[in-house]
Amino acid sequence: MKRSRINEIIRECDAFIRSHGLCLPPFAYLSPDELRTAEHGEIKRRGMGWDITDYGDGDFDRMGLFLFTTRNGLNADLGKHSAMLYAEKIMISRRDQLSPNHRHDIKVEDIINRGGGTLVLELFAATPEGGIDRHAPVTVLCDGMERTLPAGGHLKLDPGESVTLFPTTWHAFWGEGSDVLIGEVSTVNDDLTDNIFEMEIGRFSEIEEDEPPLHLLVSDYADRL
């Protein structure tokens, strides 16, 4: 992806979030130089901030996702009794924009339609080995109530509705009708190691630096902070 396109998406998505009455935290608007100061070290360590991906496909409008991680615990704290064991994200799935089929080994997540169009999830159960079971029905919790769908069934969430996804659930999703504002509440998030995709794709994008970054992405931190 070109950095100019990433900067454009940041502006568009910030406006979309605000149009739904939500505001990002102050650190979202720090310049790259401001983010490099010692007082913001936990933001880098916890992987908080802007995240825009085309999954290495090169066509963001067809396959991609906007994310902003507002808070996140640490993998090293998992299993402790008094620790930050949770994460929260704001995401935007554009109309007919695919977030491809994947699951997690550790993370349990609630995916919440916060506004806009209908959020559609294609669901599969996992085999005992962690692969995709293309025959077994899949059962998920939707706002505390069980829903069972056939393998590959489409779960549709209107604004206000949510689904709980465990590591045994493969899922792809996209917006239907219009763009969708999504909330994610989960256990600690680790996008470096805890994403298993069906396709041979990357979690982060290759970036062509055709202009300076408006704000750094989480994937920029290792090289720029």
Side-chain angles (χ1 to χ4, degrees):
M1 294 183 71
K2 290 186 176 182
R3 182 69 70 171
S4 57
R5 177 64 174 133
I6 289 170
N7 289 342
E8 180 183 29
I9 293 168
I10 286 175
R11 294 186 181 98
E12 292 171 352
C13 290
D14 186 38
F16 185 72
I17 290 167
R18 289 178 180 272
S19 75
H20 284 80
L22 298 178
C23 295
L24 295 176
F27 76 83
Y29 306 104
L30 295 174
S31 69
D33 285 340
E34 290 170 328
L35 197 55
R36 290 187 186 100
T37 64
E39 67 179 313
H40 299 120
E42 284 299 303
I43 292 171
K44 174 184 177 181
R45 192 163 81 103
R46 295 174 182 272
M48 297 158 59
W50 302 94
D51 185 358
I52 295 165
T53 184
D54 63 0
Y55 299 100
D57 179 66
D59 187 353
F60 176 80
D61 293 327
R62 185 187 74 86
M63 187 165 73
L65 188 64
F66 166 89
L67 314 92
F68 189 96
T69 302
T70 57
R71 66 202 80 245
N72 195 15
L74 299 170
N75 277 348
D77 290 336
L78 289 172
K80 295 181 180 179
H81 292 293
S82 298
M84 186 179 182
L85 305 177
Y86 55 88
E88 180 192 42
K89 289 182 179 180
I90 296 170
M91 304 186 293
I92 297 171
S93 187
R94 297 192 171 189
R95 179 179 178 179
D96 300 326
Q97 180 191 46
L98 176 67
S99 188
N101 196 25
H102 66 287
R103 67 170 184 85
H104 310 284
D105 276 333
I106 296 173
K107 185 169 74 170
V108 178
E109 56 190 336
D110 276 14
I111 303 295
I112 310 145
N113 185 335
R114 293 295 192 193
T118 299
L119 181 64
V120 183
L121 298 98
E122 183 177 77
L123 303 175
F124 290 93
T127 65
E129 298 76 26
I132 302 171
D133 191 327
R134 300 192 182 277
H135 304 286
V138 56
T139 299
V140 292
L141 287 174
C142 293
D143 300 304
M145 295 181 288
E146 286 192 348
R147 294 271 305 273
T148 299
L149 294 89
H154 289 181
L155 175 68
K156 297 192 175 186
L157 300 178
D158 290 326
E161 295 183 317
S162 70
V163 60
T164 302
L165 300 173
F166 289 87
T168 52
T169 305
W170 287 85
H171 51 286
F173 58 87
W174 58 90
E176 182 178 85
S178 62
D179 298 350
V180 182
L181 183 65
I182 304 168
E184 178 185 303
V185 179
S186 73
T187 46
V188 172
N189 179 78
D190 181 359
D191 281 320
L192 292 175
T193 65
D194 195 24
N195 288 289
I196 298 93
F197 289 100
E198 176 186 11
M199 302 166 60
E200 291 292 330
I201 55 175
R203 170 59 179 81
F204 299 106
S205 301
E206 295 288 333
I207 300 176
E208 178 184 337
E209 301 291 352
D210 63 329
E211 70 179 39
L214 178 64
H215 304 295
L216 293 182
L217 303 181
V218 171
S219 56
D220 290 322
Y221 292 171
D223 295 330
R224 291 177 178 258
L225 294 184

